């Protein structure tokens, strides 16, 4: 069911960029409704074009769909959390736009892994085979298993899932514990959902049946002492001979992760001009990202606690991307298909990281608002100059940029006027406010003079202009 559009009062709060709990709840509801619509659209496409699918593709898709339904009946909150994860949206967009034939079939293969992730998080008893294209099993929001095979057998045993590459012996199986957060440096990723114990499939009943009298978390089978390690592995065996589990990094101070592994975290061909591709950070790089994230949240907590809380609520994943080439500046982006993921090159430090997080969070908010109540029409291909870009932008780009920079000028004003913050941050904030406040004002004039905004969009821009005026000409001029 599509959520009701925001009230006039809530829309005004959105336009002023200020965080609200009601606003965050509405955005989450809108996101989930959109994901369900896209998932149903994919099901319809598969069934309507079954004659164009490769051998066995429809059967595997239907099996994965039924597994997802089983998991949802058992743990609806965990499955909702998975469906709303940013890269699920990236996969849906790629699958729905793929041309019929081998490319579409390849996109559908990822649904096996998505449904398996749902079943593992729900605590389902499993005994099935899953495709692992290119020898990779990606568990959305959790990590990646390099299998070295095109298929793996998955069977739950007590509190664990035993994953065995096709044609491999028991010494090459991997045991994943029931608590999927307790894998290597994932550092207890329990907040992403409600992982349940993987009950012994030899016991009567189906742990994915909501009417099953047994509850999750059967304590009779002890936890494996080496989560993610190949079962019965020979310590002297070459690491290349065994599957390898790589968990995502849980970022400190919230539920977000550093996602540098998911195959759908960045669109094929990269993002931006020139295009940037996703990169794996590596252990040392992950530590730097985590330090920047921690320090940025600490800085936001001290400057604007409401915005810090908004970042924690809306950012699900931080996605490292490569610099396009030497001499390019910092880069940040949010994909319309994957709200909640901040794609960025590594910022220079905590101040820059804080700005990227606030900036990209506004893109997520505005895209969701536009889905609920259109703010602009497709209109003619008119483009406009804005102060923060060298290229001219369509009206949608002007609105997105003005909205994000309005939030930043609000943040910089608060930082510049606070005596309790570090002097370098206050100085930078004052300089940035001086630089961008006028540019935002010019962009708002463009918006209010445009005939491409809807009536609601024009009212939204008026609220933005009122807030911009309240910020004043300089942070020092405010009382």
């Amino acid at each position: 069911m599509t959520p009701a559009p925001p009230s006039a009062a809530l829309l005004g709060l959105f336009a002023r960029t200020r965080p609200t709990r009601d606003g965050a709840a509405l955005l989450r509801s809108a996101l989930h409704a959109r994901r369900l619509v896209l998932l149903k659209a994919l099901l319809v496409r598969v069934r309507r074009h079954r004659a164009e699918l490769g051998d066995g593709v429809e059967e595997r898709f239907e099996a994965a769909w039924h597994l997802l339904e089983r998991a949802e009946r058992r743990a609806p909150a965990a499955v909702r959390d998975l469906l709303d994860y940013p890269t699920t949206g990236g996969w849906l967009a790629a699958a729905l736009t793929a041309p019929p034939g081998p490319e579409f079939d390849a996109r559908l293969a990822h649904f096996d892994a998505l449904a398996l992730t749902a079943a593992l998080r729900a605590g389902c008893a499993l005994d099935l085979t899953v495709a692992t294209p290119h020898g990779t099993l990606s568990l959305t929001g959790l990590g990646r298993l390099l299998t070295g095979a095109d298929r793996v057998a998955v069977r739950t045993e007590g509190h664990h899932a035993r994953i065995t590459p096709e044609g491999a012996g028991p010494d090459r199986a991997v045991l994943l514990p029931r608590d999927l957060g307790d894998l290597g440096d994932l550092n207890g990723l329990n907040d992403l959902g409600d992982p349940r114990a993987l009950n012994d499939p030899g016991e009567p009943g189906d742990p994915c049946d909501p009417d099953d009298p047994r509850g999750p978390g059967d304590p009779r089978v002890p936890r494996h002492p080496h989560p993610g390690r190949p079962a019965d592995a020979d310590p002297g065996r070459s690491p290349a001979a065994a599957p390898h589990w790589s968990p995502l990094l849980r970022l400190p101070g919230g539920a977000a992760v550093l996602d540098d592994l998911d195959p759908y975290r960045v669109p094929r061909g990269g993002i931006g001009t020139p295009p940037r591709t996703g990169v794996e950070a590596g252990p040392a790089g992950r530590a730097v990202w985590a330090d920047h994230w921690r320090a940025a949240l600490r800085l936001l907590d001290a400057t604007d606690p409401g915005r810090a809380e908004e970042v924690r609520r809306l950012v699900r994943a931080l996605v490292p991307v490569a610099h396009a080439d030497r001499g390019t500046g910092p880069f940040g982006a949010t994909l319309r298909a994957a709200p909640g993921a901040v794609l960025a090159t590594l910022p220079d430090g905590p101040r820059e990281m804080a700005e990227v997080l606030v900036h990209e969070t506004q893109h997520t908010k505005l895209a969701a608002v536009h889905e609920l109540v259109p703010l602009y029409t497709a209109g003619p291909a008119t483009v406009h100059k804005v102060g923060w870009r060298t290229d001219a932008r369509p009206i949608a780009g002007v609105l997105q940029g003005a909205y994000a920079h309005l939030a930043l000028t609000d943040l910089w004003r608060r930082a510049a006027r606070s005596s309790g913050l570090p002097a370098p941050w206050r100085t930078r904030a004052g300089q940035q406010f001086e630089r961008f406040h006028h540019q935002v004002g010019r962009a708002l004039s463009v918006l209010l003079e445009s005939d491409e905004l809807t009536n609601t969009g024009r009212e939204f821009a008026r609220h933005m202009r009122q807030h911009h005026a309240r910020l004043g000409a300089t942070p020092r001029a405010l009382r």
Side-chain angles (χ1 to χ4, degrees), residues 41-228:
L42 184 61
L43 175 66
V44 170
R45 184 184 181 190
V46 168
R47 291 178 175 174
R48 282 182 178 173
H49 301 281
R50 52 170 53 98
E52 303 172 45
L53 300 176
D55 292 342
V57 172
E58 182 187 10
E59 291 77 6
R60 289 195 300 272
F61 182 88
E62 293 288 349
W65 186 276
H66 290 309
L67 181 59
L68 184 66
E69 289 181 327
R70 288 177 59 206
E72 197 276 336
R73 287 194 297 270
R74 177 62 174 172
V79 174
R80 173 174 179 154
D81 186 82
L82 173 66
L83 294 180
D84 294 351
Y85 186 73
T87 61
T88 303
W91 165 70
L92 282 167
L96 286 167
T97 57
E103 184 177 343
F104 185 49
D105 294 353
R107 298 301 188 204
L108 292 180
H110 183 70
F111 192 36
D112 285 12
L114 187 72
L116 174 62
T117 306
L120 290 171
R121 291 184 58 180
C124 294
L126 299 171
D127 188 0
L128 72 162
T129 300
V130 177
T132 55
H134 311 295
T136 301
L137 177 63
S138 293
L139 299 182
T140 303
L142 297 172
R144 179 187 68 192
L145 181 66
L146 299 180
T147 67
D150 291 331
R151 302 172 69 80
V152 294
V154 183
R155 180 180 176 84
T156 52
E157 301 175 353
H159 286 225
H160 300 87
R162 178 182 290 267
I163 302 180
T164 308
E166 188 175 51
D171 64 322
R172 291 192 62 209
V174 165
L175 292 181
L176 298 186
R178 64 166 182 151
D179 182 351
L180 292 177
D182 191 18
L183 291 172
D185 67 344
L186 196 57
N187 191 26
L189 197 62
N190 297 323
D191 292 346
L192 282 182
D194 182 24
R196 305 297 180 91
L198 300 174
N199 294 280
D200 189 339
E203 295 291 320
D206 179 3
C208 268
D209 182 351
D211 298 323
D212 186 348
R214 292 179 302 151
D218 187 335
R220 288 171 292 176
V221 182
R223 298 173 66 83
H224 193 277
H226 301 291

Side-chain angles (χ1 to χ4, degrees), residues 405-426:
H405 283 90
L406 180 61
L408 283 173
T409 54
D410 182 289
L411 175 73
W412 288 323
R413 167 191 181 265
R414 292 168 185 268
R417 297 179 71 241
S418 176
S419 59
L421 294 173
W425 172 228
R426 294 178 59 202

Side-chain angles (χ1 to χ4, degrees), residues 19 32 42 185 192 222 231 247 292 298 309 317 335 363-365 396 398 402 433 441 459-461 466:
H32 187 63
L42 184 61
D185 67 344
L192 282 182
H292 280 16
R298 193 158 48 233
E309 182 61 23
L335 299 173
H363 289 324
T364 288
K365 289 163 58 180
V398 176
F433 184 96
E459 185 64 22
F460 193 87
Q466 291 169 5

Side-chain angles (χ1 to χ4, degrees), residues 248-249 251 257-262 265-266 271 276-282 285-286 289-290 317-323 331 341-347 353:
L248 300 184
L249 174 67
L251 293 168
V257 296
L258 185 76
D259 196 335
D260 57 347
L261 299 175
D262 194 287
R265 66 193 188 276
V266 179
I271 182 173
R276 281 95 169 163
T277 56
V279 294
E280 293 188 31
R286 282 182 162 200
W289 278 98
L318 195 55
V319 178
V321 299
H323 286 281
F331 174 82
V342 173
L343 286 66
T345 54
L346 181 64
M353 173 70 88

